[in-house]
C-alpha cells in the first residue's frame, strides 16, 4: 500500500484547475496562461523601471527561453514593451502597456468566477484555510498580485496550483517519468485486479490516447502489464508490476513532501483536508457531467 494513497485526487484537481484557467485565458485574451502570468507580474511591479526577463523567470519559475518566447509574443501584440536600462544598456527591462492591462481586465472576471466555482464545495473553514495558504504561497514567492483592495485571492488560488504543478513536474523530470505515467501507476497500485483504459481515463480525467501513451511508456520499463479480463477475454486491462510498485515506493514520499510544502507550510491535518476537498470537487464535476 502506498502512503497517502488519496493524494492523486489532489493532483487531478490541480491539473484540472490549471487546464480550465488556461482555456479561459486563451479564449478571452488570445494568450497563454504563462503570458497572462507575466502580464500580471508586470502589473504587480507597477513601476517605471519595469522588470528584467531574468527576474520574471526566477519569480514565476519559468525557464529563460520560455520567458523570452512569451515576451516576444506579448510585445508583438503590443501588450508589453522592452527598453534598455538607462544606467546599463546591457540590461533590458520589460513593462506592461495599456493594451496589456486591458487583456488582464478581459480575463480576470472569468478567472474569478472559476475560482468561486471550485470554492462552491468548500465549507467556511476549508475556504479560509485555502485563501490563507494560497496568499502565503504567492507572497512567499513574491507573486502577490496587488489589486485596488489588496491581493487577489482568486489569482493567488490559481497561481498556487500552478506552483504546485511546476514542482510536481520538476520531481517527475528528476525521476525520468512523466506526471501522467506517475498518476497511472499510482491509481493502478490501488486496484489489484487492474483497470481498463476507459476507467483510467475517467478517474484521471485524461483522454484515452493520453492513457495509452503513458501506459506504453510504463510497459517499456516493465512497470505495468496488460492482462485479459477473465469475464471478457477480448477486453484488456492494465496492472502494476513489482518494478512499478518499487518505482512508486521511491517516488511517493518526495511527492507527498512536495504537496505538503509547496503550498506554503501546511498546518496540521491540512494535507488530509485538501485531499478531502479534492474528492468533493471531483464528485461535483462528475455529477454535473462536466468530466464524464
Amino acid at each position: 500500500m502506498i502512503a497517502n494513497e488519496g493524494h492523486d485526487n489532489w493532483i487531478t484537481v490541480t491539473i484540472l484547475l490549471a487546464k480550465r484557467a488556461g482555456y479561459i485565458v486563451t479564449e478571452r485574451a488570445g494568450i497563454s496562461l504563462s503570458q497572462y502570468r507575466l502580464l500580471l507580474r508586470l502589473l504587480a511591479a507597477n513601476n517605471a523601471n519595469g522588470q528584467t526577463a531574468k527576474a520574471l523567470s526566477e519569480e514565476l519559475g519559468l525557464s529563460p527561453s520560455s520567458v523570452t518566447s512569451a515576451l516576444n509574443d506579448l510585445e508583438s501584440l503590443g501588450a508589453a514593451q522592452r527598453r534598455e536600462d538607462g544606467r546599463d544598456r546591457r540590461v533590458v527591462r520589460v513593462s506592461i502597456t495599456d493594451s496589456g492591462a486591458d487583456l488582464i481586465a478581459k480575463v480576470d472576471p472569468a478567472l474569478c468566477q472559476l475560482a468561486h466555482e471550485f470554492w462552491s464545495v468548500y465549507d467556511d473553514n476549508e475556504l479560509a484555510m485555502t485563501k490563507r495558504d494560497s496568499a502565503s504561497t504567492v507572497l512567499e514567492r513574491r507573486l502577490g498580485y496587488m489589486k485596488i483592495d489588496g491581493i487577489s485571492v482568486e489569482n493567488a488560488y490559481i497561481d498556487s496550483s500552478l506552483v504546485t504543478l511546476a514542482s510536481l513536474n520538476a520531481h517527475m523530470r528528476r525521476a525520468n517519468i512523466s506526471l501522467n505515467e506517475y498518476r497511472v501507476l499510482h491509481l493502478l497500485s490501488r486496484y489489484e485486479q487492474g483497470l481498463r483504459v476507459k476507467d483510467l481515463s475517467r478517474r484521471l480525467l485524461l483522454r484515452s490516447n493520453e492513457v495509452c501513451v503513458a501506459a506504453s511508456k510504463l510497459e517499456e520499463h516493465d512497470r505495468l502489464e496488460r492482462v485479459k479480463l477473465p469475464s471478457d477475454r477480448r477486453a484488456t486491462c492494465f496492472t502494476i508490476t513489482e518494478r512499478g510498485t518499487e518505482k512508486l515506493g521511491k517516488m511517493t514520499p518526495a511527492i507527498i513532501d512536495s504537496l505538503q510544502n509547496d503550498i506554503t507550510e501546511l498546518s496540521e491535518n491540512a494535507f488530509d483536508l485538501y485531499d478531502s476537498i479534492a474528492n468533493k470537487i471531483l464528485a461535483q464535476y462528475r455529477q454535473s457531467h462536466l468530466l464524464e
Side-chain angles (χ1 to χ4, degrees):
M1 182 66 67
I2 305 298
N4 290 292
E5 65 177 20
H7 73 280
D8 50 350
N9 289 322
W10 187 357
I11 294 174
T12 298
V13 169
T14 299
I15 294 171
L16 172 64
L17 180 60
K19 284 183 175 180
R20 293 203 59 196
Y23 175 79
I24 288 171
V25 171
T26 301
E27 182 184 46
R28 296 278 178 131
I31 59 178
S32 70
L33 187 55
S34 292
Q35 290 166 345
Y36 169 77
R37 295 177 72 212
L38 284 169
L39 288 179
L40 273 180
R41 190 69 194 98
L42 293 173
L43 181 66
N46 194 26
N47 61 65
N49 292 327
Q51 288 277 75
T52 65
K54 180 180 179 181
L56 291 168
S57 173
E58 292 173 349
E59 291 174 7
L60 290 173
L62 300 172
S63 68
S65 60
S66 295
V67 169
T68 298
S69 176
L71 290 176
N72 287 341
D73 291 338
L74 289 172
E75 194 169 30
S76 68
L77 291 171
Q81 59 185 10
R82 292 181 174 106
R83 65 180 183 280
E84 292 180 351
D85 187 284
R87 292 171 296 182
D88 187 345
R89 297 182 63 182
R90 295 170 299 177
V91 176
V92 176
R93 293 193 172 274
V94 189
S95 58
I96 191 171
T97 66
D98 290 342
S99 294
D102 288 343
L103 290 179
I104 291 175
K106 289 180 180 179
V107 168
D108 267 4
L111 287 184
C112 180
Q113 182 179 348
L114 174 64
H116 285 272
E117 184 180 305
F118 275 64
W119 291 346
S120 66
V121 300
Y122 290 52
D123 63 30
D124 290 343
N125 290 332
E126 292 167 344
L127 187 56
M129 175 187 71
T130 296
K131 289 182 176 181
R132 182 193 65 239
D133 290 345
S134 297
S136 296
T137 297
V138 297
L139 285 174
E140 185 177 301
R141 291 162 176 78
R142 294 187 295 170
L143 297 173
Y145 303 133
M146 305 301 293
K147 302 298 175 67
I148 294 174
D149 56 351
I151 295 173
S152 165
V153 290
E154 292 85 4
N155 284 135
Y157 172 66
I158 292 170
D159 219 52
S160 64
S161 293
L162 298 175
V163 168
T164 299
L165 192 55
S167 180
L168 287 170
N169 280 316
H171 278 288
M172 300 305 154
R173 287 193 295 272
R174 288 193 291 270
N176 195 29
I177 188 173
S178 74
L179 184 54
N180 281 346
E181 289 169 42
Y182 173 81
R183 296 172 68 210
V184 167
L185 266 191
H186 199 281
L187 185 56
L188 288 176
S189 72
R190 297 161 60 185
Y191 293 88
E192 186 177 346
Q193 74 276 18
L195 291 171
R196 293 174 292 180
V197 169
K198 69 176 184 179
D199 298 319
L200 289 163
S201 176
R202 179 179 59 84
R203 293 173 185 275
L204 298 176
L205 309 185
L206 293 171
R207 294 187 298 272
S208 295
N209 66 312
E210 291 177 307
V211 172
C212 291
V213 168
S216 294
K217 286 288 186 181
L218 291 168
E219 196 171 22
E220 285 179 18
H221 293 88
D222 192 27
R223 291 167 182 161
L224 64 70
E225 61 182 0
R226 302 169 192 258
V227 297
K228 296 292 184 181
L229 290 175
S231 58
D232 184 354
R233 301 299 295 175
R234 296 170 298 177
T236 301
C237 69
F238 297 111
T239 60
I240 191 170
T241 64
E242 184 176 341
R243 291 190 65 177
T245 302
E246 290 174 358
K247 183 69 172 178
L248 278 183
K250 293 177 181 178
M251 290 186 64
T252 299
I255 300 302
I256 298 299
D257 184 67
S258 175
L259 288 169
Q260 289 174 322
N261 293 293
D262 287 332
I263 300 184
T264 187
E265 292 185 9
L266 296 184
S267 56
E268 187 176 358
N269 297 327
F271 183 92
D272 292 333
L273 285 173
Y274 276 119
D275 182 54
S276 175
I277 292 168
N279 284 324
K280 290 196 293 184
I281 291 172
L282 292 177
Q284 173 178 276
Y285 274 80
R286 290 188 173 115
Q287 185 177 6
S288 59
H289 306 290
L290 290 176
L291 301 181
E292 293 188 328

